[in-house]
Amino acid sequence: MRKILNIYIRRPLLWDIILTGLVCYLAYIVINSFRIQVSIDSELIKSVMSDLISTSISLAGFVLASLTIIVTFKDNLNHKNQGIEQSGIGLLFSSKHYKSIVGVFTWAVMIFLALFLFLSLSKLFVSKLPVEYSLYFCIIPISITTLTIFRTILVLYSIIKLQLQNK
């Protein structure tokens, strides 16, 4: 399981796009196989997109704040210089994994900002698209947002686990 997560964290955007493509393909199969009538109008799509725009910019701020806390925490540990190598969290901050942690959070901020930009611009043109295509303009950001949150929570959970093991 750890090996799969390491592969996922090394190329997060690639795997997010692949998994999102699978989600879209499954949605397409389910809608067409079961002949589900999707009764969505452009106002509903615009409303969902507005919610996703707000969510993406809020999450970008949250992840950026988390990244700032992690970097500041490492700086504080470096300035104290009291047995940093002895604690689990100190070992984490001085290891090669620190760069991966910062990378995960940096990618998350970039992804959320890209989603914000994509959704803001596509909201202008969504009424010109057929409804079945505009549905995917909601599925894709929801999927990418969920995967990005999942990835950052996994990293935060790992950091918290190290801190709890130290006590």
Side-chain angles (χ1 to χ4, degrees):
M1 185 66 165
R2 186 173 298 257
K3 187 176 181 178
I4 293 171
L5 289 175
N6 285 337
I7 291 170
Y8 176 56
I9 288 176
R10 273 191 214 120
R11 304 243 192 281
L13 188 57
L14 172 69
W15 290 108
D16 285 355
I17 290 170
I18 290 170
L19 292 171
T20 299
L22 288 173
V23 167
C24 288
Y25 182 69
L26 285 173
Y28 175 79
I29 296 269
V30 167
I31 289 170
N32 289 331
S33 294
F34 297 111
R35 301 199 190 277
I36 297 174
Q37 294 296 327
V38 182
S39 58
I40 297 175
D41 62 350
S42 64
E43 290 305 313
L44 178 61
I45 294 291
K46 284 183 179 181
S47 173
V48 171
M49 288 178 93
S50 294
D51 293 343
L52 289 170
I53 289 168
S54 300
T55 300
S56 65
I57 201 68
S58 297
L59 286 171
F62 170 74
V63 174
L64 187 60
S66 299
L67 178 62
T68 304
I69 290 168
I70 289 170
V71 170
T72 304
F73 190 67
K74 181 184 185 221
D75 251 8
N76 286 342
L77 281 177
N78 285 340
H79 287 299
K80 285 183 182 178
N81 203 13
Q82 308 172 3
I84 187 171
E85 277 72 58
Q86 294 174 356
S87 71
I89 198 72
L91 287 172
L92 174 72
F93 286 145
S94 62
S95 75
K96 64 180 180 177
H97 300 294
Y98 178 73
K99 185 177 178 181
S100 298
I101 291 168
V102 171
V104 165
F105 282 87
T106 303
W107 269 107
V109 170
M110 296 299 184
I111 289 169
F112 288 134
L113 289 176
L115 282 173
F116 170 76
L117 183 63
F118 168 77
L119 288 166
S120 296
L121 292 175
S122 62
K123 188 175 176 184
L124 299 172
F125 305 106
V126 76
S127 60
K128 308 251 188 270
L129 293 173
V131 176
E132 58 269 5
Y133 293 128
S134 59
L135 175 65
Y136 295 105
F137 275 74
C138 294
I139 292 174
I140 290 170
I142 289 170
S143 177
I144 289 177
T145 300
T146 303
L147 291 168
T148 305
I149 291 170
F150 174 73
R151 187 173 49 255
T152 54
I153 287 174
L154 278 176
V155 171
L156 280 176
Y157 177 74
S158 298
I159 293 170
I160 291 169
K161 193 173 167 184
L162 273 175
Q163 287 177 331
L164 292 176
Q165 286 176 353
N166 192 31
K167 293 184 179 186

